Every structure is written in C-alpha cells, then in structure tokens.
Amino acid sequence: MDGAYAAMILIVLAGCMVVNLRVQQMRQRLDRQREALAEALAENRALAMRDELTGLYNRRAMVELIQLECRRRRRGQGTLLFAMIDVDHFKRVNDHHGHAMGDHVLRVFADALRANVRETDVLARWGGDEFLLLLSDIEPRSAQTLLERTREAIAALPVPNAPPGLRLSMSAGLALHLPHSSPQETLERADQALYAAKDQGRNRVALAPELQPAPVDDAPATPQAARA
C-alpha cells in the first residue's frame, strides 16, 4: 500500500510538473504574441504618420505636433516659428520630365531639407511640393539664417539621374507663432509670406509682417518733438 501510495504521489507530481511546464510555455507564447502585436501596432502608427514618398512626417501627424507645440507656447515655453517651403517651378518638372522624375525631385528635395535643418526641428510634407518646418526655441533672425543657408544649399545641389539643366531652388515664408494667434492663423501668415517670396522672384525667404523690421520715420522732428 505504501509503495502504491508513493507511486500515485509521484504520478500526480509529474502530472503537475507537466501542466506547469505547459502553462509556462503558453504564457511565454502569449507574451511573445503580445510583444509582436505591440511592435506591429507601433510600426503601423509610425507608417501612418509618415509620407510614403519622402519618409517625412505627413500632414496629419504634423497637425497633431502643431497642436501640442502651440499648447506649450501658451504656457510661455519658448518661441515657435512656422516655415512654409516649396519647390520653385515644380509643375515644369512634371510637365517636361514626367511624374516619375517629379517624385525623384521631391525625394532629393526632402533629403536636402532634412540635411540642413536642426535635429530639434520638425519637417513634414504638407502636400504636393509644399513642406512645413517647425522651428522651436530659436530666435527669428537665426531661423531666417537657417532658411537662407538651406536655400543656398538647395540651389547648389545637383540632382542625381536628372536631365541636363534640371536645377532646384526653393522659396519659403517664415512666420512667428504669437500667443494670441491660433495655429491656423500662423499657418496663413507663413503661407502669405511664401506667396510674397514667389511674387518677389522665387529662390528667396520672405518674412511675415510680425518679423519684418519696423519702418523708419525719416520725417524731420518738429520743435515740440525735439523738446519732448
């Protein structure tokens, strides 16, 4: 009886060990599946935030980032500038060389922009040949200098595998986000500054009104003003 009882206990213990081993294996498999699912979801989210052609943030992702950054600025945390940028005469590229070359030009242009901005800046393809750059915690004059340096780099950039004579240039409009402004209002000012750059001949950076120097009054001072 004692031997049979001991044997039963061993059988039960062995069975418990087998069950525990299988439970552990199931848990490990479930953990791996959860990790794989989390990675897949993160990858899908990352892909949903990226422009397929250029690899930059897309418009939807940029809108979310703009809202976040503007909320920070309402608490008085640093400066925020919007730069609206586009490729000069891009329609000619598509019309004369085809849309495949147009896509190639956009990729080259996006890479050049990315190489010339700061790591802390956020760059997105806004739509078509338009790009939006968010510059945080930078003085307006330094932001203008950065854009001018980028413009010069792109103007000097050869386009690989492009027809002879195909050169790139960019126009940009720069606007400062003001505490009382909505993101849409700042975007509008940046867009209007971009149109001004186009009207002034392209391949240049134009400033929104709040960034332009105040006009100097050259009128002679009156005696009353001189005494003030």
Side-chain angles (χ1 to χ4, degrees), residues 1 58 100 131 137 141 147 152 157 161 172 178 183 194 197 211 215:
M1 290 293 293
N58 58 28
F131 298 81
D137 302 325
R141 182 168 295 182
L147 287 174
E152 292 171 359
L157 179 72
N161 305 315
L178 303 173
L194 173 61
L211 295 175

Side-chain angles (χ1 to χ4, degrees), residues 104-169:
H104 176 60
V105 163
L106 288 176
R107 284 191 290 267
V108 171
F109 187 84
D111 289 343
L113 288 178
R114 187 161 35 203
N116 283 278
V117 301
R118 304 174 305 165
E119 290 185 1
T120 54
D121 298 330
V122 182
L123 181 63
R125 185 182 179 196
W126 195 242
D129 64 322
E130 282 194 341
F131 298 81
L132 181 62
L133 178 65
L134 285 187
L135 303 110
S136 301
D137 302 325
I138 184 173
E139 291 299 319
R141 182 168 295 182
S142 298
Q144 182 182 3
T145 300
L146 182 149
L147 287 174
E148 290 287 2
R149 185 174 64 245
T150 303
R151 180 189 62 78
E152 292 171 359
I154 286 176
L157 179 72
V159 181
N161 305 315
L166 196 160
R167 307 293 298 182
L168 295 181
S169 67

